Amino acid sequence: MNKVAPHLFHHSISKKKQFFMKLLSIILWFTIWSAAAKIIDRELFLPGPILVFTSLLKLASTESYWLSIFNSMVNILTGYAIAILLGIILAAISYRFRAIMEFIYLPLRIIRTIPVASFIILALLWVSSDKLSMLISFLMVLPIIYEYTLNGLSSIDCGLLEMAYLSRMPVIKKLSRIYIPGLLSHLTAALSTGIGLAWKSGVAAEVIGISRNSIGNHLNQAKIYLETPELFAWTITIIIISLFFEVVLKKLLGRLA
């Protein structure tokens, strides 16, 4: 019998089978969740999936739910977008000038090592709580975009760059034919990693900063009043939004490729 090579295993499974396997996995985890909730039998500690999704539907029927999502989305995505723009610019400058790379290495390394909670508490001294999630998501995503972009630029074939220089290739052609294709895989990884981190850190900033009309504020209120089903419902909301933007980004970058 011919054996399938391990690296070809996933390619040998049809998309329909992959879908059913994922669906079965989801059903299995929901079954485990439901069984655990029945065993514990304490809504305060672990509400069942039906109770959580009922709570989610109730929240979704209110105006404050959508307003909070909108406010959080605007702040977090704005910080995320600024981090992308500045991260790519800084990486391009660092790639061109070694002295600049050495100069900004230390602050970016510090940003990556300091705990998010410490940054949030410090940032409250500089900005209002309403804009805190924007600043925190920006600070958390910036080092990732910078590092992945710089690695992508450094991995571009020097032979191609030399050929472009000798043939006096215009800057626009050089960008579209050499730099962008060379950066796509690195940027895809950076953007998909960054969007999840932006939401995690942004919502954490809203919880600690008690930002008005935000997802984080509702999480905090649910914790204070021991509304565990609502706490789970808001957490599921964050997961859905984060996954949605991650999928959209991957599709957009895939089309660009």
Side-chain angles (χ1 to χ4, degrees), residues 232-251:
F232 273 70
W234 280 108
T235 303
I236 289 170
T237 300
I238 297 166
I239 293 169
I240 291 170
I241 295 171
S242 182
L243 288 175
F244 169 77
F245 280 105
E246 188 175 335
V247 170
V248 169
L249 278 171
K250 283 184 177 179
K251 285 191 177 292

Side-chain angles (χ1 to χ4, degrees), residues 30 33 52-62 64-73 76 195-196 199-200 203 206 214-216 218-219 228-246:
F30 272 105
W33 178 9
V52 170
F53 282 101
T54 302
S55 179
L56 180 59
L57 289 174
K58 285 181 181 178
L59 287 173
S61 64
T62 62
S64 63
Y65 175 81
W66 298 105
L67 179 62
S68 299
I69 290 175
F70 177 77
N71 290 337
S72 295
M73 194 179 295
I76 292 170
I195 191 65
W199 275 100
K200 289 175 188 175
V203 172
E206 291 174 345
S214 67
I215 294 174
H218 284 288
L219 278 171
T228 312
E230 278 195 20
L231 190 63
F232 273 70
W234 280 108
T235 303
I236 289 170
T237 300
I238 297 166
I239 293 169
I240 291 170
I241 295 171
S242 182
L243 288 175
F244 169 77
F245 280 105
E246 188 175 335

